[in-house]
Amino acid sequence: MSNIVASTQVDALLINGQRLMQMMSDVGAIGALPSGGVRRLAFSPEDREGRQLVQRWMAATGMTVSIDAAGNMIGRYEGRFPHAPALATGSHLDTVPNAGIYDGTYGVLAGVEVARTLHDHGIRPDHPIEVIVFADEERTMIGSKAMAGKASLDANFYDHPHYEPIEMGLSFIGGDWTQLTSAQRDTDSLAAFVELHVEQGPVLEAAGNPVGLVTGIVGQRRYLITIDGSASHAGTTPMTMRQDALVAASQVVLAVNRIGTKTGDGYGEQVATVGAMKLSPNVANTIPGRVEMTLDMRDLSNQRLDAMVVELEQEMAAIATQTETQIHIKPQLRNEPVPVNSHIYNAIAQVCDTLNLPAQSLPSRASHDAQIIASITDMGMIFVPSQGGISHSETEYTTPEHCIQGANILLHTLLKLDQHYRCPEEITALRTESKV
Ligand SMILES: [Zn+2]
């Protein structure tokens, strides 16, 4: 770290909370809806306008701003050792159709505010600090996936009736579909990635804790469960002679809920949901002959997910026998759990201690760019509370106090990691100095 500023001053450094909240409301005004929410769909004029505003703030902070082929905008605050791997932070500015102003945007602007604070105080960390605005987080995650070398190169994969072809979308925000693979980052160019995000769930608020130490991003399994009974007349078929697929399905729903509610090893991380159901023939006077339903299960541990499936299969076999139906379960989707890096987790915990902010460990049950970036560098995440646990809604809200506290934690986490990761150049420089 630069010796322009004494280390005690650095320890006491705080971000400019008023400026952060002003940036939040300035970006929140772009794509504002009459209902009070915001709509900045990826690749829309509003998305581009938001990015351009953030780009101006980055440039005014002495950051160099570049846009890679996947449309990721990267603001870079140079460190003392320009060839050192970057300490990166950031999130996304695109939103769902009826969003609040915090999801994603908060992580980007807190990163910009961290850079502005360092700039104000003439502090130059050893490592460059990068603030990344990932492209299209909400729908395709093309930005973070391309950066990790995991993006589909099939343009049809990104097709959606309400979006332009991906080629046009990317070029509208400064990317280039034909060069997509060039967005892949060399793992040597990044030391770590820390994402600050609103929790989007009710856990922190319910516990009264201002900070979440994210333990990992849960794995997700999705299945299609099909139950075959026998469709017959609802009046003439006696109760004892029925093979009612919906009665069996109802028991499966209860079994899923029971298995999901078990507290496992104390983390209470697992969740299990039947979210969609299709009956046939789905008429009032016919016993349901077939039910198709979804099952979504999430947990940080693959072992626990495996155990949940085994237990459910046993219960389903018993339900099938008892209801004289046939029950089949078919995997549809599998996303692996992504643990966070323990050094980064510990650094965040120590910073919370120093700042006297009670922190709570919890997993992230939603997807974030951080889980993709974890495949190319060390990753950590910080959560701040979401009022009522609400997100992806115009009523999404996080108090200014929590927003400011989160940004201060991000600032000091990055400064701590700046000391944790040693730069090859710095080691060479120290050797040279000691010889003189
Ligand atoms: Zn988000």
Side-chain angles (χ1 to χ4, degrees), residues 233-310:
H233 198 293
T236 59
T237 319
M239 295 306 283
T240 51
M241 297 174 72
R242 296 180 175 209
Q243 293 161 276
D244 187 328
L246 183 57
V247 168
S250 306
Q251 294 184 37
V252 173
V253 172
L254 293 174
V256 166
N257 187 258
R258 199 163 49 241
I259 291 166
T261 307
K262 282 191 184 167
T263 49
D265 60 3
Y267 282 90
E269 283 154 352
Q270 77 273 32
V271 288
T273 310
V274 174
M277 194 179 262
K278 205 164 79 187
L279 305 188
S280 76
N282 201 25
V283 290
N285 59 0
T286 305
I287 296 163
R290 174 170 244 238
V291 173
E292 282 180 0
M293 59 193 202
T294 58
L295 167 64
D296 179 296
M297 295 197 307
R298 305 179 193 210
D299 196 293
L300 259 191
S301 145
N302 263 332
Q303 270 178 323
R304 267 201 306 267
L305 285 166
D306 289 340
M308 284 162 76
V309 176
V310 168

Side-chain angles (χ1 to χ4, degrees), residues 91-92 103-104 137-138 195 197 200 367-368 392:
S91 195
H92 59 100
D103 176 4
E137 190 270 354
E138 292 294 356
E195 185 167 357
H197 205 281
Q200 305 184 279
S367 301
H368 296 289
H392 283 188

Side-chain angles (χ1 to χ4, degrees), residues 88-91 132 134 191-195 344 369-370 373 377-380:
T89 185
S91 195
I132 305 175
F134 291 103
F193 177 74
V194 183
E195 185 167 357
I344 301 182
D369 292 307
I373 296 304
T377 191
D378 293 350
M379 179 277 285

